[in-house]
Structure formats: C-alpha cells, structure tokens
C-alpha cells in the first residue's frame, strides 16, 4: 500500500483485563501478535507513552494489559534502575511471551491480574500505565475506580486508546475489505478496539473515579 498511512490515537494523563470470558490468546497467537502487529501498531506508541511518563519520575509503576511486553520493555529501559515495575495481563500466555524478552536479573515483576478487580492494596503505586487495553475492559468504570484506588495521591494514570476507525486509514481499509468478502455477515472485530474514543466519555469515567 502506497501513501502516508497514519494511526490517530489519544493519550490521556489523569492525576491523583479483561475477564477470561472476553479474551484468550493461546497457541501461536502471542508470537504472531508480537512479531507482526508489534512493530506496526504498538512499538512507536510504547516509546511515546514511556517518554510522557519520564517527567513524573515514578518509582513504583504498574502496567495493565501488558500483552507481549512491548511497552514493558521500553518502560524498563526508560525507568531508573531502582524503580520497580510490575507488568500484568489477564492472559498467562501473553505474559510468558513478554517475560522471554527480559533477563532474570532485570527488575520486572509479572502477575496475571484482572484490571477491574486488582489484587493489590490501596496506594501501592505512583504510576499506572495502560497502552491500548482500556477499550477491551468489559467494565471500564470499575477499572478506572481500581486504578484510582491503587494509586498514591498525586500519582498518574497514563493510558492510550485508538481514535475512531474512520481516523485510522489502514484499519479502515482492512475493515472494508473483509466486509466486502462477507456482505451478508460482515465481521465486527474493529468495533471494540476502535470503539472507545469519545473524549467526553473518557473524561467522565476519569472524573467519576476521582481523577482530576
């Protein structure tokens, strides 16, 4: 495909994973996800979100929906050596793929966890990161509430979500091509990843959780 195809996305900073029924990444999926989708869809924004976090100088960082560790790898390279980093995901197979990118002596913790019901005490972290995961959480308000609960006062929740599919040309082209192949029953796969982009809705969820 020739031309300039760009992805539009929102990054939201707010101060102060899905359930098992909704996702399963097994077999070759984690490897293919990481190898083919990672460089195109996630790596550039991982570097962006880590750069935004740097100015907050966090020492206890929680990552939600870490997937295959694309953001985790950039965060560990960016954070001070003595900063703690805990990466979580709902899918153990994705965590195993992520873990393979790190040496045993690197300071990264791993845990299978549901972002809507986190197994962490109140005020456990001073930064929470979630790249392109929030739109998949079945109860986004519950996830926001949980993030607020586990953050120290004055902490930061930094997350990114895709803009609408109409603003993301490559995915829009793929969506239309697949729909043309199944005119009687077009797949609705993209409705979720590109379905959480309304700025006022996002702001309202943050504010109801207690963020400012």
């Amino acid at each position: 495909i020739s031309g300039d195809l760009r992805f539009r996305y929102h990054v939201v900073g707010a101060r102060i994973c899905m359930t098992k029924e909704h996702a399963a990444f097994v077999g070759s999926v984690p490897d293919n996800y990481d190898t083919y989708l990672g460089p195109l869809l996630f790596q550039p924004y991982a570097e962006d979100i880590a750069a935004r976090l740097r100015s907050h100088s966090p020492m206890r960082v929680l990552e939600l929906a870490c997937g295959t560790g694309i953001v985790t790898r950039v965060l560990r390279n960016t954070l001070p050596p003595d900063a703690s980093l805990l990466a979580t995901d709902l899918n153990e197979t994705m965590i195993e793929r992520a873990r393979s990118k790190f040496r045993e002596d690197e300071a990264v913790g791993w845990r299978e966890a549901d972002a809507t019901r986190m197994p962490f005490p109140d005020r456990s972290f001073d930064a929470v990161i979630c790249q392109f995961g929030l739109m998949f959480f079945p109860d986004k308000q519950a996830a926001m509430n949980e993030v607020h609960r586990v953050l120290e006062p004055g902490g930061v929740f930094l997350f990114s979500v895709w803009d609408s599919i109409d603003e993301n040309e490559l995915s829009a082209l793929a969506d239309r091509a697949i729909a043309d192949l199944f005119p009687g029953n077009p797949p609705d796969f993209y409705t979720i990843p590109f379905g959480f982009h309304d700025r006022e809705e996002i702001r309202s969820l943050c504010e109801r959780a207690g963020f400012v």
Side-chain angles (χ1 to χ4, degrees):
I1 302 175
S2 63
D4 183 15
L5 300 180
R6 300 184 180 182
F7 292 93
R8 289 194 58 191
Y9 69 109
H10 301 320
V11 176
V12 181
R15 283 197 168 278
I16 179 178
C17 279
M18 299 178 288
T19 64
K20 291 183 182 297
E21 297 79 39
H22 286 77
F25 293 91
V26 296
S28 63
V29 173
D31 288 345
N32 290 333
Y33 177 100
D34 194 57
T35 301
Y36 300 111
L37 295 183
L40 177 65
L41 298 181
F42 305 117
Q43 184 67 35
Y45 309 110
E47 295 168 4
D48 177 87
I49 205 167
R52 293 171 186 267
L53 179 65
R54 190 180 298 119
S55 64
H56 298 284
S57 302
M59 295 303 293
R60 296 175 299 159
V61 180
L62 171 67
E63 183 188 357
L64 304 177
C66 72
T68 59
I70 294 170
V71 176
T72 319
R73 178 70 274 174
V74 178
L75 287 174
R76 186 64 278 171
N77 292 344
T78 303
L79 291 168
D82 54 343
S84 66
L85 174 59
L86 177 60
T88 67
D89 198 277
L90 193 62
N91 298 278
E92 182 61 32
T93 53
M94 298 289 268
I95 292 177
E96 287 305 312
R97 170 65 177 178
R99 197 197 308 265
S100 70
K101 299 179 179 181
F102 294 82
R103 302 185 311 273
E104 290 187 3
D105 63 337
E106 291 189 272
V108 181
W110 305 95
R111 184 154 182 180
E112 186 176 354
D114 183 344
T116 65
R117 292 177 297 176
M118 294 189 212
F120 310 119
D122 297 355
R123 303 185 174 187
S124 297
F125 307 95
D126 48 29
V128 177
I129 301 294
C130 184
Q131 174 171 279
F132 302 132
L134 185 59
M135 54 274 210
F136 294 104
F137 298 161
D139 189 337
K140 297 173 181 58
Q141 188 65 68
M144 287 282 192
N145 295 345
E146 280 290 272
V147 172
H148 189 272
R149 179 184 67 79
V150 302
L151 273 173
E152 282 278 8
V156 62
F157 179 28
L158 189 61
F159 61 95
S160 53
V161 296
W162 293 115
D163 203 339
S164 71
I165 193 169
D166 294 334
E167 298 291 347
N168 287 277
E169 185 178 357
L170 183 58
S171 295
L173 286 171
D175 187 47
R176 289 196 295 270
I178 295 171
D180 288 343
L181 294 174
F182 303 94
N185 185 27
D188 60 356
F189 172 78
Y190 286 114
T191 59
I192 294 178
F194 294 97
F196 186 59
H197 56 82
D198 184 271
R199 294 170 184 268
E200 291 308 313
E201 179 186 4
I202 294 170
R203 182 186 299 276
S204 178
L205 285 169
C206 290
E207 291 177 344
R208 286 202 297 269
F211 288 106
V212 296

